Amino acid sequence: MHYNAGALATTGYGMALGIACTLNELNVLSHMYFTKTRPYNQGVHLMAVELLEEHIPSMHMCNLAVSALLQSDLGIQAIVVGADRVAANGDTANKIGTYQLAITAHHHNRLFIVAAPSTSINLDMPSGKQIEIEQRDPSEILVQSGFTQSLVATGSLEPASVQVAPVETRAWNPSFDVTPAALISAIITEKGVITKQPNSSKFDLKAALS
């Protein structure tokens, strides 16, 4: 699971986390992994808290380790992500790093599932080409923020920032990327599971949601 798509980001169980919670309640989820989700680390900051509270067996991992995990653990069946915006053809904008997860899921023959409320689907937007990608402040990837271990041990949660690159370093920092519908196995909304027609690389979300 990538990014934070649980109750802290939405309502109820949330989006992608809602799938994990349901599977866990049905006793069919043996284990799940969740990414750090750079640059803001929402995965380890937020998702970790929700998984602990829901008593879901899980393990944190670096974003860049996902391909190695799929290669070594044949028991993993799917990658599940949330969505910030979904076009009418199924192209999906989500936290940066989602696109590369879809690529590795496709390469390793695993399901890649998008979980999103129907309100995130823009039926007036033909494809992901119309989704504008925000460029964020370079400092977000040149500076790391967190809590020092010594302060955490005393119960103090005063954040600290650390410069991790020379101050003259330039950075390209897009907030989101767009995953083509061709790489997505299914889109799950509160209205049900949406899949593509056989031999189609796109979703017909207008028909599915009508």
Side-chain angles (χ1 to χ4, degrees):
M1 192 169 293
H2 183 62
Y3 198 26
N4 172 249
L8 293 175
T10 57
T11 60
Y13 278 147
M15 297 179 292
L17 183 63
I19 296 175
C21 288
T22 300
L23 293 175
N24 190 52
E25 289 176 354
L26 295 173
N27 294 316
V28 294
L29 179 65
S30 60
H31 193 81
M32 66 168 283
Y33 295 87
F34 63 101
T35 62
K36 183 180 294 292
T37 318
R38 289 281 293 133
Y40 271 127
N41 299 327
Q42 291 101 327
V44 71
H45 287 165
L46 302 177
M47 185 64 71
V49 173
E50 295 187 308
L51 291 171
L52 289 171
E53 289 185 349
E54 295 295 336
H55 305 288
I56 295 176
S58 59
M59 187 174 294
H60 170 55
M61 65 183 299
C62 173
N63 293 22
L64 298 178
V66 174
S67 294
L69 177 65
L70 295 183
Q71 185 181 58
S72 62
D73 189 342
L74 300 181
I76 296 176
Q77 299 178 337
I79 293 177
V80 181
V81 300
D84 285 274
R85 183 72 61 86
V86 182
N89 70 341
D91 291 349
T92 297
N94 193 47
K95 184 67 176 178
I96 191 71
T98 302
Y99 182 22
Q100 65 188 29
L101 295 180
I103 292 172
T104 194
H106 180 76
H107 177 76
H108 291 95
N109 197 29
R110 311 296 170 85
L111 297 174
F112 187 82
I113 298 171
V114 171
S118 58
T119 52
S120 293
I121 299 174
N122 187 344
L123 297 179
D124 295 324
M125 182 177 290
S127 74
K129 293 180 180 179
Q130 289 77 44
I131 299 177
E132 185 175 348
I133 304 299
E134 176 190 6
Q135 286 292 327
R136 302 283 296 181
D137 190 324
S139 67
E140 293 178 354
I141 56 176
L142 301 176
V143 176
Q144 288 279 288
S145 298
F147 306 106
T148 62
Q149 288 182 309
S150 58
L151 289 178
V152 171
T154 64
S156 175
L157 293 180
E158 184 174 343
S161 297
V162 179
Q163 182 80 27
V164 295
V167 293
E168 299 86 1
T169 303
R170 301 173 63 195
W172 185 66
N173 185 26
S175 181
F176 305 100
D177 55 29
V178 177
T179 299
L183 296 177
I184 300 172
S185 307
I187 297 173
I188 300 178
T189 75
E190 76 280 5
K191 298 183 178 182
V193 179
I194 305 171
T195 56
K196 291 170 285 193
Q197 293 296 318
N199 302 318
S200 176
S201 62
K202 302 177 181 179
F203 292 83
D204 186 354
L205 294 180
K206 287 186 178 180
L209 297 175
S210 61

